[in-house]
Short mmCIF file of all heavy atoms in Angstrom, two decimals:
data_model
loop_
_atom_site.label_atom_id
_atom_site.label_comp_id
_atom_site.label_asym_id
_atom_site.label_seq_id
_atom_site.Cartn_x
_atom_site.Cartn_y
_atom_site.Cartn_z
N LEU D 1 -24.28 -63.95 -36.88
CA LEU D 1 -25.40 -64.55 -37.57
C LEU D 1 -25.86 -63.62 -38.70
O LEU D 1 -25.94 -62.41 -38.49
CB LEU D 1 -26.57 -64.81 -36.63
CG LEU D 1 -26.29 -65.76 -35.46
CD1 LEU D 1 -27.55 -65.89 -34.57
CD2 LEU D 1 -25.87 -67.13 -35.96
N LYS D 2 -26.12 -64.17 -39.85
CA LYS D 2 -26.57 -63.36 -40.97
C LYS D 2 -28.02 -62.90 -40.70
O LYS D 2 -28.83 -63.64 -40.18
CB LYS D 2 -26.56 -64.18 -42.26
CG LYS D 2 -25.17 -64.64 -42.68
CD LYS D 2 -25.24 -65.50 -43.95
CE LYS D 2 -23.87 -66.01 -44.36
NZ LYS D 2 -23.93 -66.87 -45.55
N PRO D 3 -28.32 -61.66 -41.05
CA PRO D 3 -29.72 -61.19 -40.88
C PRO D 3 -30.67 -61.92 -41.81
O PRO D 3 -30.32 -62.30 -42.95
CB PRO D 3 -29.61 -59.69 -41.27
CG PRO D 3 -28.15 -59.36 -41.18
CD PRO D 3 -27.41 -60.61 -41.52
N SER D 4 -31.89 -62.14 -41.34
CA SER D 4 -32.98 -62.71 -42.13
C SER D 4 -32.55 -63.98 -42.88
O SER D 4 -32.76 -64.14 -44.07
CB SER D 4 -33.50 -61.67 -43.14
OG SER D 4 -33.91 -60.48 -42.47
N ALA D 5 -31.94 -64.88 -42.14
CA ALA D 5 -31.45 -66.14 -42.70
C ALA D 5 -32.10 -67.33 -42.00
O ALA D 5 -32.73 -67.20 -40.97
CB ALA D 5 -29.93 -66.24 -42.58
N ARG D 6 -31.92 -68.52 -42.59
CA ARG D 6 -32.57 -69.70 -42.04
C ARG D 6 -31.81 -70.97 -42.42
O ARG D 6 -31.26 -71.06 -43.53
CB ARG D 6 -34.00 -69.80 -42.57
CG ARG D 6 -34.76 -71.06 -42.22
CD ARG D 6 -36.09 -71.13 -42.94
NE ARG D 6 -36.80 -72.36 -42.65
CZ ARG D 6 -36.62 -73.52 -43.27
NH1 ARG D 6 -35.74 -73.58 -44.26
NH2 ARG D 6 -37.30 -74.61 -42.94
N HIS D 7 -31.76 -71.92 -41.51
CA HIS D 7 -31.30 -73.27 -41.85
C HIS D 7 -31.85 -74.27 -40.85
O HIS D 7 -32.38 -73.88 -39.80
CB HIS D 7 -29.78 -73.30 -41.91
CG HIS D 7 -29.09 -73.68 -40.61
ND1 HIS D 7 -28.62 -74.94 -40.36
CD2 HIS D 7 -28.81 -72.95 -39.52
CE1 HIS D 7 -28.09 -74.96 -39.15
NE2 HIS D 7 -28.18 -73.78 -38.61
N ILE D 8 -31.79 -75.52 -41.18
CA ILE D 8 -32.22 -76.59 -40.31
C ILE D 8 -31.00 -77.23 -39.65
O ILE D 8 -30.08 -77.69 -40.35
CB ILE D 8 -33.00 -77.68 -41.07
CG1 ILE D 8 -34.24 -77.11 -41.75
CG2 ILE D 8 -33.40 -78.82 -40.13
CD1 ILE D 8 -35.25 -76.52 -40.78
N GLN D 9 -30.95 -77.17 -38.32
CA GLN D 9 -29.85 -77.77 -37.59
C GLN D 9 -30.26 -79.20 -37.23
O GLN D 9 -31.22 -79.43 -36.50
CB GLN D 9 -29.53 -77.01 -36.31
CG GLN D 9 -28.35 -77.58 -35.53
CD GLN D 9 -28.17 -76.88 -34.18
OE1 GLN D 9 -28.98 -76.09 -33.77
NE2 GLN D 9 -27.08 -77.22 -33.51
N LYS D 10 -29.54 -80.18 -37.78
CA LYS D 10 -29.87 -81.57 -37.55
C LYS D 10 -28.69 -82.29 -36.91
O LYS D 10 -27.60 -82.36 -37.47
CB LYS D 10 -30.23 -82.26 -38.88
CG LYS D 10 -30.72 -83.70 -38.71
CD LYS D 10 -31.18 -84.29 -40.02
CE LYS D 10 -31.72 -85.69 -39.85
NZ LYS D 10 -32.18 -86.28 -41.14
N GLU D 11 -28.90 -82.78 -35.71
CA GLU D 11 -27.89 -83.53 -34.98
C GLU D 11 -28.48 -84.89 -34.59
O GLU D 11 -29.64 -85.19 -34.89
CB GLU D 11 -27.44 -82.78 -33.74
CG GLU D 11 -26.95 -81.34 -34.01
CD GLU D 11 -25.66 -81.29 -34.77
OE1 GLU D 11 -24.96 -82.32 -34.85
OE2 GLU D 11 -25.32 -80.19 -35.28
N LEU D 12 -27.68 -85.73 -33.93
CA LEU D 12 -28.17 -87.04 -33.52
C LEU D 12 -29.37 -86.92 -32.57
O LEU D 12 -30.25 -87.77 -32.57
CB LEU D 12 -27.06 -87.83 -32.84
CG LEU D 12 -25.89 -88.28 -33.73
CD1 LEU D 12 -24.80 -88.93 -32.89
CD2 LEU D 12 -26.38 -89.28 -34.78
N GLU D 13 -29.39 -85.85 -31.77
CA GLU D 13 -30.38 -85.76 -30.69
C GLU D 13 -31.53 -84.77 -31.01
O GLU D 13 -32.50 -84.74 -30.26
CB GLU D 13 -29.69 -85.32 -29.42
CG GLU D 13 -28.66 -86.32 -28.93
CD GLU D 13 -27.76 -85.75 -27.85
OE1 GLU D 13 -27.00 -84.80 -28.14
OE2 GLU D 13 -27.85 -86.25 -26.71
N PHE D 14 -31.44 -84.01 -32.08
CA PHE D 14 -32.49 -83.06 -32.36
C PHE D 14 -32.40 -82.59 -33.81
O PHE D 14 -31.38 -82.73 -34.50
CB PHE D 14 -32.40 -81.85 -31.44
CG PHE D 14 -31.06 -81.16 -31.42
CD1 PHE D 14 -30.68 -80.29 -32.40
CD2 PHE D 14 -30.16 -81.41 -30.36
CE1 PHE D 14 -29.45 -79.66 -32.39
CE2 PHE D 14 -28.93 -80.78 -30.32
CZ PHE D 14 -28.59 -79.90 -31.35
N GLU D 15 -33.50 -82.00 -34.26
CA GLU D 15 -33.58 -81.36 -35.56
C GLU D 15 -34.47 -80.13 -35.39
O GLU D 15 -35.65 -80.25 -35.11
CB GLU D 15 -34.19 -82.28 -36.63
CG GLU D 15 -34.25 -81.65 -38.00
CD GLU D 15 -34.74 -82.59 -39.08
OE1 GLU D 15 -34.70 -83.82 -38.83
OE2 GLU D 15 -35.14 -82.13 -40.17
N ILE D 16 -33.89 -78.94 -35.56
CA ILE D 16 -34.62 -77.72 -35.30
C ILE D 16 -34.34 -76.68 -36.40
O ILE D 16 -33.35 -76.76 -37.12
CB ILE D 16 -34.23 -77.08 -33.94
CG1 ILE D 16 -32.74 -76.76 -33.91
CG2 ILE D 16 -34.63 -77.97 -32.80
CD1 ILE D 16 -32.33 -75.83 -32.80
N GLU D 17 -35.22 -75.71 -36.49
CA GLU D 17 -35.02 -74.59 -37.39
C GLU D 17 -34.27 -73.46 -36.67
O GLU D 17 -34.59 -73.14 -35.53
CB GLU D 17 -36.37 -74.05 -37.87
CG GLU D 17 -36.22 -72.86 -38.82
CD GLU D 17 -37.56 -72.22 -39.20
OE1 GLU D 17 -38.31 -71.88 -38.27
OE2 GLU D 17 -37.84 -72.08 -40.39
N VAL D 18 -33.26 -72.94 -37.32
CA VAL D 18 -32.55 -71.77 -36.83
C VAL D 18 -32.84 -70.63 -37.80
O VAL D 18 -32.43 -70.67 -38.96
CB VAL D 18 -31.05 -72.02 -36.72
CG1 VAL D 18 -30.33 -70.74 -36.25
CG2 VAL D 18 -30.75 -73.15 -35.76
N LYS D 19 -33.57 -69.65 -37.32
CA LYS D 19 -34.00 -68.55 -38.15
C LYS D 19 -33.63 -67.23 -37.47
O LYS D 19 -33.83 -67.09 -36.26
CB LYS D 19 -35.52 -68.64 -38.35
CG LYS D 19 -36.11 -67.63 -39.33
CD LYS D 19 -37.59 -67.86 -39.48
CE LYS D 19 -38.22 -66.87 -40.46
NZ LYS D 19 -39.69 -67.10 -40.59
N THR D 20 -33.13 -66.30 -38.25
CA THR D 20 -32.71 -65.01 -37.67
C THR D 20 -33.61 -63.86 -38.15
O THR D 20 -34.26 -63.98 -39.20
CB THR D 20 -31.25 -64.67 -38.05
OG1 THR D 20 -31.16 -64.54 -39.49
CG2 THR D 20 -30.28 -65.74 -37.57
N ASN D 21 -33.66 -62.80 -37.34
CA ASN D 21 -34.46 -61.67 -37.72
C ASN D 21 -33.59 -60.67 -38.49
O ASN D 21 -32.42 -60.94 -38.78
CB ASN D 21 -35.13 -61.01 -36.49
CG ASN D 21 -34.09 -60.48 -35.49
OD1 ASN D 21 -32.93 -60.28 -35.80
ND2 ASN D 21 -34.56 -60.21 -34.28
N SER D 22 -34.15 -59.51 -38.78
CA SER D 22 -33.41 -58.53 -39.61
C SER D 22 -32.21 -57.91 -38.89
O SER D 22 -31.36 -57.27 -39.51
CB SER D 22 -34.37 -57.40 -40.05
OG SER D 22 -34.93 -56.77 -38.93
N LEU D 23 -32.14 -58.11 -37.55
CA LEU D 23 -30.99 -57.62 -36.79
C LEU D 23 -29.91 -58.67 -36.63
O LEU D 23 -28.90 -58.44 -35.95
CB LEU D 23 -31.46 -57.15 -35.40
CG LEU D 23 -32.44 -55.97 -35.37
CD1 LEU D 23 -32.91 -55.69 -33.93
CD2 LEU D 23 -31.82 -54.74 -35.99
N GLY D 24 -30.10 -59.85 -37.26
CA GLY D 24 -29.10 -60.91 -37.12
C GLY D 24 -29.15 -61.58 -35.78
O GLY D 24 -28.11 -62.00 -35.24
N MET D 25 -30.34 -61.75 -35.21
CA MET D 25 -30.51 -62.41 -33.91
C MET D 25 -31.43 -63.60 -34.09
O MET D 25 -32.34 -63.59 -34.91
CB MET D 25 -31.13 -61.46 -32.91
CG MET D 25 -30.34 -60.18 -32.66
SD MET D 25 -31.40 -58.84 -32.04
CE MET D 25 -32.07 -59.56 -30.55
#
């Protein structure tokens, strides 16, 4: 996972934010 990154994961059953910290977690 890239550090300090963000995207919206959108599937048929959910839509959530995936955000990482500076350690790539």
Side-chain angles (χ1 to χ4, degrees):
L1 299 178
K2 297 178 182 178
S4 304
R6 174 187 177 275
H7 91 100
I8 301 297
Q9 182 186 8
K10 186 175 183 181
E11 305 292 345
L12 291 174
E13 299 167 294
F14 54 80
E15 181 175 344
I16 60 164
E17 179 186 54
V18 177
K19 186 178 180 181
T20 61
N21 63 16
S22 59
L23 297 176
M25 302 156 59

